[in-house]
Amino acid sequence: MQNEPNSIEFDPHSQMIQFIWSDDDLTLAFQPHQLRLHCPCAFCRAQRVRQPFFVVQEDITVKAINSQRYGVQICFSDGHDKGIFPWSYLKEIA
Ligand SMILES: [Zn+2]
């Protein structure tokens, strides 16, 4: 699954983000905390290797979601926006 989802739905109240591939009958749902924990940027990857526990605040929220051709950029409330989550990676961490 490398293709862009048909739609991305974000509920600001619950902070639930849903990626919907209606062509493939697939929906992946995430909370911001889960995505932030798995941020694929080089900085966070290095942090996770160095530290046994990569800590993310439980109440982290999403400020913006920018769909790119190959993945989605998430801007988090802690100011971090470096990670672009490839579509296939979302499936791995779901
Ligand atoms: Zn990161």
Side-chain angles (χ1 to χ4, degrees), residues 36 39-45 48 54 80 82-83:
R36 182 68 182 83
C39 178
C41 84
F43 176 79
C44 292
R45 281 184 189 277
R48 286 196 294 268
F54 179 67
H80 193 67
K82 295 288 183 288

Side-chain angles (χ1 to χ4, degrees), residues 1-5 8 19 21 40 66-73 81-90:
M1 184 209 27
Q2 306 291 336
N3 56 320
E4 210 172 330
I8 300 174
F19 300 92
W21 288 265
N66 300 312
S67 182
Q68 318 270 355
R69 199 181 316 168
Y70 63 96
V72 63
Q73 178 198 25
D81 60 3
K82 295 288 183 288
I84 295 178
F85 296 72
W87 307 122
S88 56
Y89 183 63
L90 289 176

Side-chain angles (χ1 to χ4, degrees), residues 25-77:
D25 198 22
L26 175 69
T27 299
L28 299 179
F30 296 94
Q31 286 291 326
H33 181 256
Q34 188 182 2
L35 291 173
R36 182 68 182 83
L37 267 182
H38 292 92
C39 178
C41 84
F43 176 79
C44 292
R45 281 184 189 277
Q47 289 274 307
R48 286 196 294 268
V49 170
R50 272 199 294 270
Q51 301 179 1
F53 300 104
F54 179 67
V55 179
V56 173
Q57 60 195 84
E58 286 284 345
D59 59 350
I60 193 163
T61 58
V62 163
K63 295 296 180 196
I65 299 170
N66 300 312
S67 182
Q68 318 270 355
R69 199 181 316 168
Y70 63 96
V72 63
Q73 178 198 25
I74 313 269
C75 303
F76 295 97
S77 57

Side-chain angles (χ1 to χ4, degrees), residues 1-25:
M1 184 209 27
Q2 306 291 336
N3 56 320
E4 210 172 330
N6 301 91
S7 63
I8 300 174
E9 291 180 10
F10 175 60
D11 177 1
H13 182 70
S14 68
Q15 285 288 311
M16 178 78 81
I17 310 166
Q18 287 188 301
F19 300 92
I20 301 163
W21 288 265
S22 42
D23 296 344
D24 301 328
D25 198 22

